[in-house]
Amino acid sequence: MTFIRTLNGDISPSDLGTTYSHDHLFCIPPYWKNQGEKDLLLDDYDASFAELKDFKRAGGNAIYDATAPDYGRKALTVAQMAKDANVHIVGTAGFNKGFLWSSEKPNTNLSFERYIDQCSIDTLSQDVINEVVYGIDGSEHKAGVVKCGTGYNQIHPLELKTMEAVVRAAIETGAPMHSHTELGTMALEQAELFKKFGIDLSRVGFAHMDRNPDKWLLKKLAQTGAFICFDGISRIKYYPEDVRSQALIHLCKAGYEDQILIGGDFARKTMSAHYGLGGPGMKYILSSWRPRFIEEANDVGLDGEALMNKFFIRNPQRYLTFR
């Protein structure tokens, strides 16, 4: 039996529906809280829930919430949001990038950094496996994706350790794997290491690749069989939207449209329409970006509607399914 594991139970891939493949709903990252970065604290239940309802009204059915434990994950709260909004939400086990690890790991007297340093790879892997197989924080809510990450243009030795641990967990459980790349760097280097550790790269989704819209790089990464997540939509501070569109069109024309995932990486109050700062909100991708890209794709002879079906429905179905 094939299934996708959501925070509120396993579902058939055919029940997933229109999906954002990388977002955050409600989380309080200790690192950013200690730095006084209030914009990065999604800490208002009502505001976050209003965003989720907007997403639902715009036609959304499911979200992969990529919040790892070291990023202030609140899985039980998000599971309740999902239930109340009738939206499928897939949760995360594993780790983010290393510079976030100065905060304390729950239920220990150690920072994440010291915990990762002191534990064996087998122990770290088993921690991740337990959240996929048994539940998060002693609850019935299970993670459906395992995650690791690296920093900007480098891989720290402890990040390397978590990468191997997470690969082992993915292989043991059959869970899909999500990898954070800082500004789209180190993707090919990660891919080589993942392959060395024994995972089929078609099980891995690489985040933030539209923050490094190098067409040669994107094509090389696609050639590994991995999924490529474009999750910076609306962030004009990085690139005009046209740059992202042209990179997507380049991949599609090269035959890699079955490996593209779309998300918003909704991680700031200033992105929200409900935290009082007037941002575009979670509905933006479906309500505004989607029709724009359909037009751009059609203009160059592609079938924009068919691509949307792949990006939002068929590709997430394959990516998030356990094997």
Side-chain angles (χ1 to χ4, degrees):
M1 177 182 177
T2 59
F3 64 90
I4 291 170
R5 178 152 290 168
T6 79
L7 286 172
N8 289 312
D10 296 349
I11 63 171
S12 167
S14 62
D15 292 333
L16 188 67
T18 298
T19 303
Y20 284 0
S21 295
H22 178 189
D23 267 285
H24 304 271
L25 281 165
F26 184 86
C27 56
I28 306 173
Y31 177 87
W32 294 122
K33 183 177 181 180
N34 294 339
Q35 296 290 319
E37 291 284 353
K38 295 182 180 179
D39 188 31
L40 286 157
L41 310 182
L42 299 180
D43 54 2
D44 183 327
Y45 183 97
D46 291 338
S48 289
F49 187 61
E51 291 292 344
L52 189 57
K53 289 191 292 185
D54 281 355
F55 165 76
K56 178 74 172 179
R57 282 191 291 266
N61 302 104
I63 292 172
Y64 164 51
D65 187 316
T67 308
D70 49 16
Y71 201 72
R73 183 187 62 188
K74 305 293 180 185
L76 277 64
T77 300
V78 172
Q80 188 62 51
M81 280 186 183
K83 186 176 180 180
D84 292 345
N86 193 26
V87 171
H88 300 303
I89 297 181
V90 177
T92 297
F95 308 90
N96 207 307
K97 56 199 172 190
F99 83 75
L100 297 167
W101 295 342
S102 59
S103 59
E104 185 175 303
K105 187 182 188 300
N107 303 316
T108 72
N109 294 317
L110 300 173
S111 68
F112 274 97
E113 183 174 24
R114 289 194 64 193
Y115 181 79
I116 293 166
D117 185 40
Q118 292 182 13
C119 288
S120 68
I121 293 174
D122 283 343
T123 297
L124 296 174
S125 182
Q126 191 61 52
D127 283 352
V128 178
I129 290 168
N130 288 343
E131 293 200 331
V132 175
V133 174
Y134 300 111
I136 295 169
D137 299 332
S139 75
E140 64 182 3
H141 305 292
K142 301 174 184 178
V145 172
V146 296
K147 176 178 179 176
C148 60
T150 59
Y152 178 67
N153 269 337
Q154 61 180 338
I155 299 176
H156 187 277
L158 291 185
E159 292 172 338
L160 182 64
K161 191 174 183 180
T162 60
M163 289 168 70
E164 185 168 359
V166 168
V167 166
R168 291 186 187 182
I171 293 170
E172 175 70 21
T173 63
M177 184 170 151
H178 172 94
S179 186
H180 169 91
T181 68
E182 190 72 4
L183 296 176
T185 65
M186 307 308 292
L188 295 180
E189 291 82 357
Q190 285 187 11
E192 282 297 316
L193 288 164
F194 293 152
K195 185 177 179 181
K196 174 185 173 183
F197 296 148
I199 196 168
D200 176 352
L201 286 168
S202 71
R203 303 299 295 133
V204 183
F206 287 84
H208 307 309
M209 293 313 301
D210 54 343
R211 298 191 191 180
N212 187 8
D214 179 327
K215 293 178 182 177
W216 178 89
L217 169 67
L218 293 172
K219 188 173 179 180
K220 286 293 183 183
L221 186 60
Q223 287 170 352
T224 70
F227 285 91
I228 298 174
C229 192
F230 279 54
D231 48 31
I233 293 165
S234 85
R235 286 176 169 84
I236 310 305
K237 66 180 181 179
Y238 294 115
Y239 297 100
E241 208 64 64
D242 177 68
V243 174
R244 183 174 295 105
S245 295
Q246 294 308 312
L248 279 170
I249 287 168
H250 174 76
L251 284 173
C252 292
K253 285 188 170 183
Y256 298 110
E257 68 270 15
D258 292 334
Q259 295 165 236
I260 293 169
L261 304 170
I262 300 293
D265 188 21
F266 189 86
R268 292 179 178 269
K269 288 183 168 97
T270 47
M271 295 180 68
S272 171
H274 294 281
Y275 271 86
L277 299 171
M282 290 197 77
K283 66 182 182 298
Y284 176 83
I285 294 175
L286 290 176
S287 63
S288 298
W289 179 82
R290 185 180 185 277
R292 170 189 168 145
F293 185 77
I294 289 173
E295 181 180 330
E296 290 175 310
N298 289 344
D299 284 346
V300 296
L302 299 174
D303 186 335
E305 287 284 358
L307 290 176
M308 292 298 97
N309 182 266
K310 289 188 175 187
F311 295 176
F312 287 108
I313 300 177
R314 291 168 59 187
N315 295 352
Q317 283 176 347
R318 288 187 296 105
Y319 169 56
L320 293 171
T321 295
F322 274 58
R323 295 183 189 171

